[in-house]
Amino acid sequence: NVSPAMPLKKVDQRTFISKTATVWKNLNPFWGEEYTLHLPMGFHSLSFHVMDEDTIGHDDVIGKITLTKEAIGAQAKGLDCWLNLTKVDPDEEVQGEIHLGLELLKDTEKISLRCQVIEARDLAPRDISGTSDPFTRVIFNNHSAETSIIKKTRFPHWGETLELELDPEELREEEGTVTVQVWDWDMVGKNDFLGKVEIPFACLHKTPQLEGWFRLMPLGNNEVDAGGKLGALRLKVRLVEDQILPSMYYQPLIDLLVESVISPTEVEDSSALTMLEEVTTVESRQDVAMTLVKIYLGQGLVVPFLDYLNTREVNHTTDPNTLFRSNSLASKAMEQFMKAVGMLYLHEVLKPIINRIFDEKKYIELDPCKIDLNRTRRISFKGAVSEAEVRDSSVELLQSYLTSIIESIVSSVDQCPPVMRVAFKQLHKRVEEQFTEPENEDVKYLAISGFFFLRFFAPAILTPKLFQLRDQHADTRTSRTLLLLAKALQSVGNLGLQLGHGKEQWMAPLHPIILRSVASVKDFLDKLIDIDHDTASEVPQRAVFTASVTVKEGFLHKHKAEGPQLLSRFAFKKRYFWLTSETLSYAKTPDWQVRSSIPIQCVCAVERVDENAFQQQNVMQVITQDNDGQLHTMYIQCKNVNELNQWLSAIRKVSIYNERMLPSFHPGVHRSGKWTCCLQADRAVAGCSRTHSAVTLGDWSDPLDPDVETQTIYKQLLQGKDKLRLRKTILLSTNVSVTDGAECTVQQMKPCQGIAARLLVVIEDLEQAHATFQRREKEDATSVIMNP
């Protein structure tokens, strides 16, 4: 029985960034999970490891797939294919960097190669303690020299100079290579490879003194494709790499987008937004919609933006039954808007009932063709369970769950974000103005409920893992329950108008409760849009969340630093944490009256902690600086790598604009008079590893970044440049009579031509700016060779 879990994105052989849910006891797992990861610009490769999760001991590695940056970037639309898993070779699983100084010395008496081995950082752990015993070997031709061994560290400081005496004829070699290898020394057995650096000897002729940090490379064994014996993995991977210009360059495009919604023209199809929709591909529409939502959120204009798109959609629809049924920009924008501003609200409404369904694990089935009596528990003392008993039990449970869901939703008016309510109010108004016939009385409700129930709540119930309502996917039994509830909630969103017309007549036992809920749903929607525009929080600042909203919360384990030294397993105390854009606070329980708080503005680093520091996994540290300049560190343990990365990213997001961020940190702890990472004694010594200010995971709570978002829109317009040129060149000929009876043709420009021309100017200016910055970057590039 194999239970595969796939930790996603191991970048350049470094620590796992993320991990999918585990699919238990299955050799053909389906995950269907999507991750947006923020990678460093200089990354080289990306690995996907498929693991067999074990409840006791370490997880077993089934196999891996490694993709180079070039392989991913070669496909404009990204990779989408099946790839065979390969074996994991320890000599290929290297990481880290080494600080070297190389110098070629020539004098009358001798010729020598001097290598300063200064330090290394973030080496791979090879020993059971989570560290290594590293030493370095320098090799050129038949010459070699080694540094001393530094015990139990991944951040060794050697500070040694190794010198290789060369023969005169070796000086003339052009093909030779200087190799610097790092090894983990083992008392018993052979040493473990930690990585290597190769520098062409010819480089030292051109640059006699060479110094810098070099990325450690694998040994170079060719990965053997097992021919599918280890299995295959289907991946869809797309790389987006952008050069972000200073804000001033994007302002003209922002101005055009803002103009579209604050000064809409009466002539249809004549704004920057309509032009953008025209050149947007179906595949990129969702990304464009999310980007536009963030841009207008940042401008405080998200309601006018949605109103503009929705008004066009409503005015172009003649049959109310087809309203918002397509994947238009308006539909996608509303979907992404609800996720951006309403996910915390959705969690408040649905999480209790979703948790209840997962905990109870009831067997529920209404379809007579799918009822399996062997899978049911005995619910009667009279003998074997019948299909009728299973159906009756299922109806009773589904009615209970569905009632709880509906009651939770219809009583949540005050919990719904005001900006969401105002957007629905505008939508209600536009639909009511367009469809005035008595027979279309329900259309104004259906327009809102179609988004609210069918595109927001129902998908979250169907796949709670994808909406972060649960850490794991539902098992087969629970998944079926969620599917039946999602179907029922869709009928609620349709106000019961399509009941009895579908093929699934076995859903009929739920029809009465659905029909009874219609009145309460309409009443809820009336109350939902009963709001004044001025009360809506448009969130004009550079964050989707406001200070009063909890960005993330949950139980974590905080390291107890006070008092006598405790054993590692007793040093962490369970505490409930809350994160807002202003504070990170914690207390003994969620209801505890007294909270300890850390101002977010004092955070200067948020980083992982080495496993060997506490002999514990998934530990992070939050480093803060008080008014006196003193640094304080709080250590927090998460339950798994996913939770660790979510908290790391969440705290980095809210502190992304802090001014006093540290350039380096210690991945270990100061214990027994030295740092466990670099073994230095001084507690105040500068960190031995670089900090990571950028967030790792991207999701609906990402901070708004107008420059990045506008760059995305610019790239979309750039792809549609030819279409814009075509719109610009089309002229409207109008015949005009003059006094002498002759007739002449006057060329008039359509409004859409004017917008197309203005957009082309903006695009061409941005193209030129990008070209200028790229040229400057090349001119300013250093001549240091880093792993040629």
Side-chain angles (χ1 to χ4, degrees):
N1 289 328
V2 178
S3 304
M6 184 175 64
L8 284 176
K9 307 275 187 180
K10 191 174 182 183
V11 179
D12 292 338
Q13 310 303 335
R14 292 179 181 269
T15 311
F16 289 127
I17 290 178
S18 194
K19 177 181 175 182
T20 68
T22 301
V23 181
W24 296 98
K25 299 180 180 179
N26 195 320
L27 291 175
N28 299 286
F30 174 81
W31 287 284
E33 298 182 28
E34 182 176 314
Y35 295 83
T36 299
L37 305 173
H38 301 295
L39 305 180
M41 288 295 291
F43 90 96
H44 296 80
S45 64
L46 188 61
S47 295
F48 300 80
H49 287 226
V50 179
M51 317 287 288
D52 171 28
E53 182 164 331
D54 293 325
T55 53
I56 300 175
H58 291 286
D59 299 336
D60 300 317
V61 181
I62 297 174
K64 74 163 188 174
I65 290 169
T66 298
L67 300 174
T68 64
K69 181 180 179 181
E70 292 72 25
I72 305 171
Q75 305 291 330
K77 294 184 178 180
L79 292 172
D80 182 0
C81 58
W82 284 94
L83 297 168
N84 287 338
L85 295 173
T86 60
K87 292 182 179 179
V88 174
D89 182 351
D91 290 341
E92 299 299 302
E93 299 296 298
V94 303
Q95 65 182 54
E97 300 168 304
I98 186 168
H99 190 184
L100 299 172
L102 292 168
E103 185 177 4
L104 190 60
L105 301 175
K106 309 174 191 175
D107 55 37
T108 56
E109 297 181 1
K110 66 175 182 178
I111 300 169
S112 59
L113 174 64
R114 178 179 294 171
C115 180
Q116 285 183 292
V117 184
I118 304 168
E119 59 183 324
R121 60 192 178 199
D122 198 29
L123 298 179
R126 287 288 189 254
D127 297 337
I128 195 170
S129 62
T131 61
S132 291
D133 304 320
F135 70 93
T136 298
R137 180 183 296 151
V138 180
I139 305 170
F140 179 68
N141 288 346
N142 297 319
H143 312 283
S144 66
E146 294 180 357
T147 66
S148 59
I149 300 166
I150 301 181
K151 298 288 189 67
K152 296 182 179 180
T153 181
R154 295 174 51 236
F155 298 83
H157 286 254
W158 288 286
E160 298 181 25
T161 300
L162 305 177
E163 197 163 308
L164 305 180
E165 191 169 334
L166 308 181
D167 298 328
E169 57 270 19
E170 290 179 298
L171 188 63
R172 294 188 291 272
E173 289 193 14
E174 295 292 334
E175 302 296 326
T177 300
V178 179
T179 302
V180 180
Q181 298 177 341
V182 185
W183 293 84
D184 165 47
W185 175 83
D186 285 329
M187 181 179 294
V188 180
K190 67 175 186 177
N191 299 330
D192 299 312
F193 182 72
L194 292 175
K196 70 176 182 180
V197 173
E198 292 185 341
I199 299 172
F201 190 64
C203 290
L204 294 174
H205 286 294
K206 299 175 184 177
T207 311
Q209 287 186 318
L210 190 64
E211 182 182 342
W213 282 95
F214 295 79
R215 186 171 73 92
L216 291 170
M217 304 293 289
L219 192 57
N221 299 335
N222 293 325
E223 293 182 347
V224 179
D225 188 332
K229 293 180 181 178
L230 297 177
L233 185 66
R234 185 182 177 187
L235 296 171
K236 295 180 71 173
V237 187
R238 184 165 63 95
L239 177 66
V240 178
E241 190 172 2
D242 278 328
Q243 178 189 55
I244 309 302
L245 302 175
S247 300
M248 57 180 287
Y249 291 93
Y250 295 112
Q251 195 57 47
L253 181 52
I254 288 285
D255 291 341
L256 276 175
L257 293 173
V258 168
E259 181 185 303
S260 297
V261 300
I262 62 173
S263 303
T265 175
E266 293 182 1
V267 181
E268 293 187 3
D269 301 326
S270 56
S271 73
L273 274 177
T274 54
M275 294 287 178
L276 176 62
E277 183 170 20
E278 188 175 313
V279 301
T280 299
T281 61
V282 176
E283 296 84 3
S284 62
R285 192 159 292 161
Q286 182 165 306
D287 290 340
V288 170
M290 187 69 222
T291 302
L292 287 173
V293 165
K294 287 192 168 188
I295 287 175
Y296 286 102
L297 273 169
Q299 296 291 324
L301 294 169
V302 72
V303 170
F305 159 66
L306 294 171
D307 185 39
Y308 176 84
L309 292 181
N310 290 338
T311 300
R312 289 186 68 251
E313 183 89 356
V314 170
N315 291 344
H316 281 78
T317 304
T318 55
D319 183 359
N321 295 316
T322 63
L323 186 61
F324 295 113
R325 296 297 182 184
S326 65
N327 288 322
S328 62
L329 188 60
S331 298
K332 288 295 183 183
M334 283 294 289
E335 278 185 35
Q336 299 305 315
F337 163 71
M338 289 188 293
K339 287 184 180 180
V341 303
M343 286 290 277
L344 295 171
Y345 159 62
L346 179 138
H347 279 218
E348 290 177 8
V349 174
L350 286 186
K351 202 160 193 176
I353 183 64
I354 293 294
N355 288 342
R356 177 186 156 198
I357 294 168
F358 270 75
D359 292 342
E360 293 181 356
K361 290 187 172 69
K362 299 291 187 181
Y363 178 75
I364 294 176
E365 185 55 77
L366 296 181
D367 187 349
C369 299
K370 294 185 177 181
I371 291 179
D372 183 356
L373 299 181
N374 294 324
R375 295 181 58 187
T376 65
R377 292 181 180 178
R378 195 171 166 214
I379 58 175
S380 171
F381 292 105
K382 297 179 181 179
V385 180
S386 66
E387 284 192 17
E389 287 175 307
V390 172
R391 197 158 45 248
D392 291 343
S393 172
S394 299
V395 169
E396 183 179 348
L397 287 166
L398 284 173
Q399 286 177 339
S400 174
Y401 291 148
L402 186 59
T403 299
S404 297
I405 292 171
I406 294 171
E407 287 179 352
S408 184
I409 292 175
V410 299
S411 62
S412 67
V413 172
D414 293 334
Q415 295 168 276
C416 187
V419 67
M420 200 166 161
R421 295 175 62 184
V422 172
F424 284 136
K425 179 178 181 177
Q426 289 293 99
L427 175 59
H428 179 275
K429 178 183 177 183
R430 301 306 179 194
V431 174
E432 194 173 37
E433 291 172 346
Q434 176 72 3
F435 300 102
T436 57
E437 301 82 3
E439 62 269 22
N440 292 328
E441 172 65 24
D442 286 336
V443 176
K444 58 181 181 290
Y445 292 113
L446 288 167
I448 301 174
S449 63
F451 286 115
F452 201 73
F453 288 91
L454 276 63
R455 296 193 184 220
F456 193 44
F457 279 101
I461 291 171
L462 183 63
T463 53
K465 170 69 171 67
L466 303 187
F467 284 76
Q468 300 175 16
L469 286 164
R470 296 287 296 189
D471 291 333
Q472 300 289 340
H473 289 297
D475 56 32
T476 305
R477 175 177 291 191
T478 305
S479 181
R480 181 60 179 173
T481 301
L482 295 174
L483 174 61
L484 294 173
L485 286 171
K487 287 176 178 289
L489 196 65
Q490 285 180 325
S491 296
V492 172
N494 285 323
L495 305 181
L497 296 178
Q498 298 175 358
L499 292 181
H501 298 295
K503 297 179 181 178
E504 299 172 341
Q505 295 302 314
W506 40 264
M507 289 285 287
L510 294 181
H511 291 179
I513 191 173
I514 293 170
L515 292 172
R516 285 198 302 270
S517 70
V518 171
S520 60
V521 167
K522 286 185 177 180
D523 181 61
F524 163 71
L525 296 177
D526 285 332
K527 292 177 180 176
L528 195 71
I529 63 174
D530 185 14
I531 184 172
D532 187 75
H533 280 64
D534 296 335
T535 63
S537 172
E538 291 280 358
V539 199
Q541 62 268 29
R542 293 165 69 93
V544 173
F545 38 77
T546 60
S548 60
V549 174
T550 300
V551 178
K552 191 167 180 60
E553 62 180 299
F555 277 109
L556 299 170
H557 286 80
K558 175 185 174 293
H559 182 254
K560 183 177 174 59
E562 314 84 30
Q565 286 280 11
L566 300 172
L567 294 175
S568 296
R569 64 180 180 274
F570 300 119
F572 287 87
K573 298 296 182 182
K574 192 174 183 179
R575 295 291 181 264
Y576 197 85
F577 279 78
W578 296 266
L579 175 67
T580 73
S581 60
E582 290 189 342
T583 61
L584 175 65
S585 55
Y586 57 92
K588 286 188 176 181
T589 67
D591 303 324
W592 201 260
Q593 297 300 315
V594 180
R595 293 189 188 183
S596 300
S597 294
I598 299 172
I600 289 299
Q601 63 186 18
C602 296
V603 173
C604 48
V606 189
E607 299 290 343
R608 297 170 182 264
V609 177
D610 263 358
E611 287 185 20
N612 71 300
F614 296 105
Q615 299 302 316
Q616 300 282 342
Q617 293 183 328
N618 307 317
V619 178
M620 68 176 180
Q621 56 183 309
V622 180
I623 305 174
T624 57
Q625 191 172 38
D626 60 25
N627 294 331
D628 298 327
Q630 293 293 316
L631 296 179
H632 305 275
T633 304
M634 179 169 64
Y635 297 99
I636 301 172
Q637 185 181 27
C638 304
K639 63 182 178 182
N640 54 47
V641 68
N642 271 5
E643 186 177 68
L644 172 66
N645 279 299
Q646 288 166 10
W647 276 97
L648 278 172
S649 288
I651 299 174
R652 285 175 184 170
K653 286 168 188 175
V654 296
S655 61
I656 198 168
Y657 301 113
N658 287 3
E659 296 179 357
R660 296 183 294 179
M661 303 302 287
L662 294 177
S664 62
F665 77 107
H666 287 284
V669 294
H670 197 271
R671 189 172 60 222
S672 302
K674 63 183 178 183
W675 287 98
T676 58
C677 45
C678 56
L679 308 181
Q680 298 187 78
D682 185 2
R683 181 187 288 270
V685 72
C688 55
S689 187
R690 290 174 295 178
T691 52
H692 307 85
S693 57
V695 298
T696 301
L697 299 175
D699 59 25
W700 48 269
S701 64
D702 275 353
L704 303 183
D705 192 332
D707 298 337
V708 172
E709 290 139 16
T710 315
Q711 169 70 14
T712 301
I713 299 303
Y714 154 70
K715 285 178 64 178
Q716 194 66 43
L717 290 168
L718 186 63
Q719 292 176 10
K721 193 175 176 182
D722 291 339
K723 287 186 179 179
L724 292 174
R725 283 201 182 110
L726 184 63
R727 294 297 296 268
K728 179 185 174 183
T729 56
I730 296 175
L731 299 179
L732 176 66
S733 298
T734 304
N735 291 327
V736 181
S737 297
V738 291
T739 53
D740 60 1
E743 194 173 74
C744 66
T745 300
V746 178
Q747 304 292 338
Q748 293 184 343
M749 182 175 284
K750 282 185 176 180
C752 63
Q753 293 173 283
I755 293 296
R758 293 170 64 189
L759 275 173
L760 283 169
V761 170
V762 168
I763 293 169
E764 287 163 2
D765 287 346
L766 282 169
E767 271 189 290
Q768 187 175 358
H770 274 287
T772 301
F773 273 84
Q774 287 172 356
R775 187 168 61 252
R776 288 177 185 172
E777 283 182 357
K778 289 180 181 178
E779 292 172 354
D780 294 341
T782 62
S783 59
V784 176
I785 306 297
M786 302 294 263
N787 285 323

